[in-house]
Every structure is written in C-alpha cells, then in structure tokens.
Amino acid sequence: MQKIGKQTIKFDAPPTVSECASIVGPKEADGPLCKYFDQTLEDEFWGEKSWEKAESKIIKETVSTLIGKSGVSTADVDMVIAGDLLNQCISSSFGLRDSNIPFLGVFGACSTFVESMSISAICVEGFAKNVICATSSHFCSAEKQFRFPLELGNQRPPTAQWTVTGSGAALISKSGNGPFITHITPGKIVDMGIKDANSMGAAMAPAFCDTLLTHFQDTGRNPSYYDAIISGDLGHIGKEISIDIMKSHGYNIKSNYNDCGVMIFDKASQDTHSGGSGCACCATVFSGYWFKQLQNKKVKKILLIATGALMNSTSSQQGESIPGIAHAISIEI
Amino acid sequence: MNINWANVFDWMQIFKCFIVGGAICVIGQILIDKTKLTPARILVIFVTTGAVLGGLGIYKYLVDFAGAGATVPLTGFGYNLAKGTIEGVQQQGLIGAFTGGVKAAAGGIAAAVFFGYIASLIAKPKMKKQ
Amino acid sequence: MDPTQTKQGYQDYVDKKSPNSPIAKNLFNAFWTGGLICSIGQIILNICKERGFDITTSGTIVSIILIGLSAFLTGLNIFNKIGKFCGAGSLIPITGFANSIVSPAMEYKSEGYVMGVGAKMFTVARTCFSFWYFKCYYCWNYIFNF
C-alpha cells in the first residue's frame, strides 16, 4: 500500500471484492435494473412498525444474504463497516447489533458505500481476511428526517431526487479471483455555495469532478482507460453538469460515464424527476449491476465515485450551503 | 326546515368565489414555482398577509365580494384572526386583543387537532407511488 | 470555461442548467382546483345560511367540514396525490392547513401519542400561529383611534 500523487492510495496486493448482495424496495423493483437485485420487497414496511425499523431489517437481511452467498462463516469476518443517512447511523447499528462481528459505523452521506469500501480495502491490505461493507437508505425514513411527512400534499421541484429504498453490501477479501480494488482516491470537501436542498446533484458535481481530476492526475490515467466511470447519485442534472465541468478541463467523459441515480429509475415512467439518491443508490447499483458485469467480464475496469452532500436539516435551516464530497475506487479484473 | 336551493346555487356568487379563490391560489403557485420557499413558509405568508389586510380593513371588501372565495384560502384564516382580535378589543378592551383572535380561529384549530388525532389513530402513512 | 471558478458563476450556471417547473400547467391546475374548493365552501356556506346560522357560525362550519374532508383524504393516503396535482390549489385553501397538521400526526405516530403525535403535530403549521401576533400592530392602531 503506498500513496501516489496528491491523495491516491495504490494497493500492492489488491484486495478482492469477492461477493455482493442487494435488497431493494418496490419502486426500485419497477425500475430497469430489477432483475439484477437479490431480493425485492413488496412493501416499504416489510412487516415492521416504522420506517426506521424496516430500514434496519433491510440492512440486516442484506448482510446475512451476503454471508450466505459467499460461504464465509460469520467467525471469519473480521469487521463490518456500515453507515446510513439516519441520525447517529441507527439503521446500521440497530440492524447489525445481533451480527456478533466487530462493527465500525461510518458516515459520508450518500458517499458512505465507497468510503466503507475504501476503509475495508485498507484493513484487508493491513490485517484482515474478510471485511463486509454495507450501507442502506429508505425513501420514507429519509423524507421524514430531511423533508416533510409523507402524507403532506406538496409538489416536488424538477431538480429533486428520489431516495433509493434498499441496501447493498460487499465482501472484501484478501484472496480471491477478483475483481480487485487497485486504487482508492478519497476526496476533499468541495463547497460551491449551492444552498437549495432540492438541488443535490448540482451541489455534489464539483466534488465529483475534483476527485475525478485528482485521480487522473495522481495515476496518470485518462478517461479512456476505464470501461465505465460511475458516479453515485448525481442524477440527471448533476450528470450533465459534471460532463460540462470535465470538458472545460479537457477531459471528454461523455461516452463511458454513467450515474447510478440515472440508471436505477426510468425517468419517463417513474416520475423520479432528477433520478435516485441516498446511500443505497450507489450500493445497490454497484452490488446488483456493476459487480455482475465485472464477474462476467462484460466490463473490466471501472471507476466508482460515490458522491455525498454533507448537510442536515438544521444546517439548511440556518442558511448554510451544502458541502459536497466524492470518493473514488478503481476496480479492475 | 325548507332550503331554498336557488339561494344555495346562486351561480353568480359561486362564479365570483371561484375566480377569486382560484386567483389567490395562483399567487401561491407562483410563490412555489418561482421561489424556493417551503410549504410552511407559504402558509405563514398567506396567514400573515390576510391578517394585515384584515387589520387594515381592506380584506373585508374582498370577503363581501367573493364570500368563501376569500374566506376559505388561508388569507381568510388570517382575516378571521384579525377580525376576532378587533371584535375582542371592542368588547373587552385590551384583554380582548389576546383572546379575540384565538377565539375566532378556535373552531378551525380544534377541528384540525381533533381530526389529526383521529387520523393518527386509524390511518398509517403509505409510500408515495410517485 | 470552467463553471466552478467562482461561487456566483456556478450558481448562475446551475440555475441555467436546471429545468423549470411546468409553470403554465401548474398555474392552470392551481387556479381551477383552488377555485373549485372555494366554490364547495361557498355552497356549504349558503346551505348553512339557509338553515338560519349567522355568518360567523356558518364560516366556522365551512372550515370544520373542509378540514374534516381534508383529514379524511389524508388518512386514506389520497391527499398527497391531490396535492401533487393541485399544488397551491389544495395548499392555500384551509384544506392545506388541515393536511399540514394531519400528515405529521400520522407520520410521528411511531414515536407514540404523546411525544410523537402530540409534540410534532404542528411541525409544519406551528409557524402560522407564532406569526399571527403580527396583527398586534393594528390592535394598537385600533386602541389609539379611541
């Protein structure tokens, strides 16, 4: 493990993403990626009494699905690194309280999945054999915490995004047949002064571009090196903005760039405005779709950049702008 | 008791009510689409505007003209508060300034609280489909 | 040109890039649905007046009926769909006020009836109440006119 350039880490013995699992809610199941997920739910409560309990159950079941699929016993898992959007990360800690695995709770807003994958990779390169990383989000609990009660009859502006209900989990192992995590580029906090909480894509796009540019400079790679460059949840508007910003720096990413928030919903028929968002957006689309593409060698080199908006409802009420963050992870086979 | 349905369906009056009520909502819609105000702030703006116009004696003309078209929107709620306060002052002096407004709005507030509790007892929030 | 060079420049660029709400459609829907709700109120008001209630009582009855109707539709999980279509057409009439009280009451039910429903029922609407003392200003006006 060594640091190259300004902020990129290169692994000497690249850790493997050996298995992934994902569970999504009913709206995501109606979307174009339905067949790639391990399990789809019929209703958002999943037999629980509150949204928060349902979200905990989703992350719990996702982790146990992952353990079941991988064939690794719980005792061989050295650590689980998880996070979510709810206050004090209660979905992860309540969902995993019976897992009997050492637990690290992390928060990076919607960038949490790649953040936990980065920490997992560092742990695996250091001491661990198997580390699980997982994140979850739930449309209803997120609306309740960040916006309005569900039954309030308000209109969503066209820039608004739809929080993905679901959870994605990945098992990072020391040995395996790949795909391998070769580089990680943790991002800096970038704040371009956007204050509108309904315009997250625009708030996070500068952070995404900053991390992507730094990654290219540090590794000496260019966009054509990757089969796919994937952002976490910039949505339709953030995607267009990012293409523009990268173009102004002399990089054309239009041909191989996509966004998980754009992929998970069908904009025309599902009325999700600017696309999906939330911790689970990047986690489920990577675990469901991209991991299988890598396994089948349909794509060989991807750069996954999860983006996050580091704000809460108090900071927006106090008139603060929305700082963005983006972490990149390069996965190759 | 007999009801004179011709008086109930006074189409001219309903038409005026429709136009004025619709126009007040259009102002609200412009605020929603053109500013980044949250619904809560828009409610406040309407109640306050109604109270101020009511206090200045302007809103009364709109109520006389459009009936429910002016009282059903939240500006009418504000107008009621203002009217109640003024009546309170007339009847009870200074203490009326504190009790009159709330008294005038009591029916609406109590109804909302009552129905809110009932709804929370029997209904459950559901995922929006869109 | 890199749009992220200055904060102001980026804000302007984002405003240009963001799609606008379909304002003509929204205004039209708000107009006719808002007008319709007020007209229903007018009909109820007329019935009350015909039955011999005075104008103040009639107005209160109209409010209570519309609030009840709105609470009923909120409880049936229908009001959010109506609200999405009507926009200000259902928000600005008293129906929107009722919805803003009933919807948090339902949402915070999971935190119990005292600290959940009781404490959070007015999460959205409470601002209306604190602000009504704006009217103090003309109370004084009135008193000084004596």
Side-chain angles (χ1 to χ4, degrees):
Chain A
M1 183 161 50
Q2 56 187 345
K3 192 177 158 194
I4 57 171
K6 252 164 52 187
Q7 60 199 63
T8 300
I9 296 162
K10 180 177 186 289
F11 292 105
D12 302 320
T16 302
V17 184
S18 53
E19 192 57 86
C20 282
S22 54
I23 297 179
V24 295
K27 195 178 175 80
E28 292 70 23
D30 286 339
L33 298 180
C34 174
K35 61 177 179 184
Y36 296 101
F37 302 119
D38 290 311
Q39 191 178 347
T40 55
L41 306 179
E42 306 238 311
D43 86 311
E44 292 77 11
F45 274 113
W46 206 4
E48 296 293 326
K49 278 202 171 129
S50 70
W51 310 124
E52 293 77 10
K53 285 183 179 149
E55 189 178 335
S56 295
K57 183 170 174 185
I58 294 175
I59 192 167
K60 179 182 173 186
E61 293 299 325
T62 308
V63 169
S64 55
T65 308
L66 177 72
I67 291 174
K69 271 172 85 177
S70 66
V72 173
S73 74
T74 314
D76 290 332
V77 179
D78 298 292
M79 186 111 76
V80 53
I81 300 174
D84 57 89
L85 293 175
L86 296 187
N87 288 339
Q88 285 76 40
C89 291
I90 51 167
S91 316
S92 319
S93 38
F94 283 59
L96 300 171
R97 62 182 156 186
D98 299 323
S99 67
N100 214 16
I101 307 171
F103 170 79
L104 285 186
V106 288
F107 179 78
C110 309
S111 71
T112 308
F113 189 63
V114 169
E115 184 182 356
S116 58
M117 274 177 104
S118 306
I119 303 170
S120 308
I122 293 168
C123 290
V124 168
E125 177 95 354
F127 67 93
K129 274 205 187 92
N130 295 297
V131 177
I132 288 175
C133 43
T135 57
S136 68
S137 60
H138 194 301
F139 174 80
C140 305
S141 62
E143 284 291 304
K144 181 177 173 182
Q145 180 174 315
F146 292 103
R147 294 179 194 94
F148 302 111
L150 283 174
E151 299 298 334
L152 190 72
N154 61 327
Q155 285 176 322
R156 300 161 58 79
T159 51
Q161 288 177 253
W162 191 278
T163 307
V164 169
T165 304
S167 167
L171 178 71
I172 316 287
S173 309
K174 194 154 211 150
S175 53
N177 305 323
F180 301 100
I181 299 173
T182 56
H183 295 77
I184 55 176
T185 307
K188 299 194 292 272
I189 298 171
V190 178
D191 188 342
M192 287 304 296
I194 297 291
K195 288 186 176 170
D196 181 6
N198 279 313
S199 188
M200 292 292 193
M204 300 185 294
F208 166 76
C209 294
D210 182 78
T211 304
L212 187 56
L213 285 169
T214 314
H215 180 80
F216 288 150
Q217 281 156 13
D218 288 352
T219 56
R221 293 173 176 176
N222 55 43
S224 59
Y225 178 86
Y226 291 104
D227 297 325
I229 296 168
I230 309 139
S231 56
D233 58 348
L234 294 179
H236 290 272
I237 297 160
K239 185 181 169 185
E240 280 176 34
I241 293 174
S242 304
I243 291 172
D244 275 6
I245 298 176
M246 291 308 287
K247 206 171 164 189
S248 73
H249 287 277
Y251 291 99
N252 183 4
I253 56 169
K254 205 166 182 174
S255 57
N256 56 351
Y257 166 55
N258 213 338
D259 178 77
C260 297
V262 170
M263 293 169 70
I264 193 163
F265 294 121
D266 179 30
K267 192 187 181 188
S269 67
Q270 294 191 289
D271 197 27
T272 45
H273 298 248
S274 191
S277 69
C279 284
C281 184
C282 172
T284 53
V285 174
F286 173 76
S287 311
Y289 180 76
W290 290 107
F291 180 67
K292 291 186 178 105
Q293 299 295 306
L294 283 163
Q295 272 188 320
N296 300 334
K297 303 215 166 61
K298 293 233 174 79
V299 293
K300 289 184 174 157
K301 294 167 182 147
I302 67 167
L303 185 67
L304 182 67
I305 307 185
T307 46
L310 302 171
M311 44 83 75
N312 68 13
S313 39
T314 310
S315 74
S316 0
Q317 278 168 6
Q318 293 182 352
E320 276 280 3
S321 55
I322 303 168
I325 190 145
H327 304 300
I329 189 160
S330 160
I331 304 170
E332 303 173 44
I333 190 159
Chain B
M1 196 189 292
N2 278 329
I3 290 177
N4 182 352
W5 290 103
N7 282 348
V8 171
F9 291 98
D10 175 349
W11 292 113
M12 193 55 214
Q13 193 187 21
I14 291 173
F15 178 72
K16 283 192 281 189
C17 159
F18 182 86
I19 298 293
V20 171
I24 293 173
C25 295
V26 163
I27 298 171
Q29 189 66 41
I30 294 172
L31 289 177
I32 293 178
D33 285 344
K34 286 287 166 194
T35 65
K36 296 197 161 87
L37 297 169
T38 57
R41 278 171 196 268
I42 292 173
L43 295 184
V44 172
I45 290 172
F46 271 79
V47 174
T48 316
T49 313
V52 170
L53 291 179
L56 295 172
I58 300 168
Y59 204 79
K60 193 177 168 302
Y61 297 108
L62 197 61
V63 174
D64 291 343
F65 175 74
T71 53
V72 169
L74 283 167
T75 38
F77 190 71
Y79 160 74
N80 249 337
L81 294 172
K83 204 175 80 174
T85 313
I86 292 171
E87 281 165 7
V89 173
Q90 280 169 337
Q91 288 159 8
Q92 295 169 289
L94 189 56
I95 194 76
F98 293 95
T99 58
V102 195
K103 224 188 267 173
I109 299 169
V113 173
F114 173 74
F115 290 120
Y117 260 106
I118 298 286
S120 77
L121 278 173
I122 51 184
K124 212 174 173 190
K126 223 164 94 183
M127 173 85 170
K128 289 183 193 183
K129 286 289 173 245
Q130 289 199 325
Chain C
M1 235 288 279
D2 180 5
T4 59
Q5 271 169 354
T6 61
K7 284 189 179 181
Q8 190 53 48
Y10 185 62
Q11 180 70 57
D12 295 343
Y13 163 82
V14 168
D15 288 343
K16 214 171 66 201
K17 202 85 189 169
S18 306
N20 289 318
S21 308
I23 190 149
K25 190 184 108 200
N26 285 353
L27 291 182
F28 177 72
N29 286 345
F31 179 74
W32 77 261
T33 52
L36 184 69
I37 293 172
C38 294
S39 305
I40 294 170
Q42 183 69 48
I43 292 169
I44 302 169
L45 188 74
N46 289 349
I47 294 174
C48 294
K49 279 197 282 193
E50 284 293 306
R51 304 213 85 175
F53 291 110
D54 67 66
I55 181 80
T56 318
T57 318
S58 305
T60 309
I61 294 172
V62 170
S63 300
I64 292 172
I65 292 179
L66 287 180
I67 286 169
L69 206 60
S70 164
F72 182 66
L73 292 174
T74 307
L76 291 180
N77 316 102
I78 297 173
F79 197 91
N80 54 13
K81 293 176 194 91
I82 298 175
K84 186 178 158 58
F85 177 80
C86 308
S90 62
L91 173 74
I92 300 301
I94 195 104
T95 46
F97 168 75
N99 173 245
S100 77
I101 289 173
V102 178
S103 60
M106 286 166 64
E107 185 75 60
Y108 291 99
K109 182 186 177 179
S110 49
E111 278 83 305
Y113 286 101
V114 178
M115 294 317 289
V117 179
K120 299 221 167 120
M121 186 181 256
F122 287 94
T123 319
V124 182
R126 61 188 169 204
T127 40
C128 296
F129 299 110
S130 350
F131 269 85
W132 86 35
Y133 273 94
F134 250 93
K135 68 193 161 57
C136 282
Y137 133 86
Y138 48 79
C139 301
W140 288 118
N141 249 355
Y142 187 86
I143 293 161
F144 287 132
N145 283 344
F146 272 109

